Amino acid sequence: MMNDVDQNTGAPNKAGMANTVQTPEKVQTLEKVDSSNWQRVAAAIGSNPAGVYQDAKHQRYYVKTLESPALANNEWLTAQLYQFVGVPTFEYLPALNPCQIITRWRPLSKKSIAHFDENERAQARRWFAVHAWTANWDAVGLHGDNQGVANRQVLSLDLGGALAYRANGDPKGSAFSVEVGEIHSLRDKQLNPAAERLFGEMTRAQLIEAIRLVTDLADSEIFALLQQHQASHKLIDKLLSRKADMLQQLHHL
């Protein structure tokens, strides 16, 4: 999926976006990855139990073990949505352990927005509306470290704070609603100072362009994608309602 964007601008190419929609046949053939025999070669980076692991072919992965299958599934679904829109992320692999999130290891040249140049900040801002749509309150990270750069491409590094759960694993409850308040809160210095440092300077034109990346998506394709990944109808309905709310907000920008 990460090859589906222009590495200089971060923009999705249309052919790549079409290819990101997984067909039912492709989903059914995904083989789940068993990490039980891998060797742990480096420590966790974040706060969750995790580490860098190496398989028998010396391929490396980051393996994160969450408290419940629901938390892992929440992040997996978020990753599918990000990749569907074209947001560069690590490559997520389906884990045999239902509590695990496994991503293919990819070295980063920059690990915080504090070190981004203007081109990289522009790449990151392009996906603002995807973070808002999925209620990813931790899109930037507490210290700007949930955005990074690999091969001149800005990646969203950790998607654990989106949809129904906070980054610490607590459920958001009614705070994850059909209204996308994140269009405001992710740009508000008081509510989310880390995100504001990245998104607060976006112009009206940049906001409109970013929001249209979500509102131009076809409901039928969102429905099909989430259904293929066994998302609940409640979640599917909420995400479609949030997309409709973003369209209403777009008219008043």
Side-chain angles (χ1 to χ4, degrees), residues 210-222:
I211 292 172
R212 282 180 173 162
L213 289 177
V214 174
T215 58
D216 286 353
L217 297 172
D219 285 0
S220 59
E221 292 188 346
I222 296 170

Side-chain angles (χ1 to χ4, degrees), residues 30-51:
L30 287 177
E31 183 176 350
K32 294 192 175 182
V33 176
D34 183 1
S35 66
S36 59
N37 292 320
W38 293 353
Q39 180 184 5
R40 192 169 191 264
V41 295
I45 296 173
S47 57
N48 289 296

Side-chain angles (χ1 to χ4, degrees), residues 78-237:
T78 304
Q80 306 316 305
L81 289 167
Y82 270 57
Q83 292 167 7
F84 171 67
V85 183
V87 184
T89 70
F90 289 123
E91 181 183 356
Y92 279 71
L93 304 174
L96 184 62
N97 183 332
C99 291
Q100 284 186 341
I101 289 293
I102 300 177
T103 52
R104 200 176 296 279
W105 180 251
R106 190 175 179 188
L108 300 174
S109 57
K110 295 183 181 180
K111 301 178 180 179
S112 169
I113 62 168
H115 305 297
F116 282 14
D117 61 27
E118 279 307 309
N119 173 273
E120 291 156 352
R121 291 176 66 84
Q123 285 189 49
R125 287 171 178 154
R126 179 175 180 81
W127 310 112
F128 163 77
V130 183
H131 305 310
W133 179 42
T134 59
N136 191 353
W137 302 348
D138 201 38
V140 176
L142 188 60
H143 303 292
D145 52 353
N146 273 351
Q147 299 282 312
V149 177
N151 295 329
R152 301 176 63 191
Q153 185 181 49
V154 174
L155 309 178
S156 287
L157 304 180
D158 189 328
L159 307 179
L163 300 180
Y165 292 94
R166 301 171 186 267
N168 64 5
D170 291 340
K172 294 176 182 171
S174 60
F176 177 44
S177 73
V178 297
E179 297 177 352
V180 187
E182 289 80 3
I183 289 180
H184 169 69
S185 64
L186 290 178
R187 296 182 294 124
D188 187 294
K189 191 172 185 178
Q190 300 301 318
L191 297 174
N192 196 327
E196 188 274 341
R197 285 195 288 274
L198 179 62
F199 302 123
E201 297 177 355
M202 290 179 71
T203 66
R204 177 176 178 272
Q206 289 172 331
L207 286 171
I208 290 173
E209 182 180 6
I211 292 172
R212 282 180 173 162
L213 289 177
V214 174
T215 58
D216 286 353
L217 297 172
D219 285 0
S220 59
E221 292 188 346
I222 296 170
F223 182 90
L225 176 78
L226 291 170
Q227 192 174 52
Q228 288 161 10
H229 289 278
Q230 289 83 51
S232 69
H233 285 283
K234 181 179 180 181
L235 177 62
I236 296 173
D237 290 345

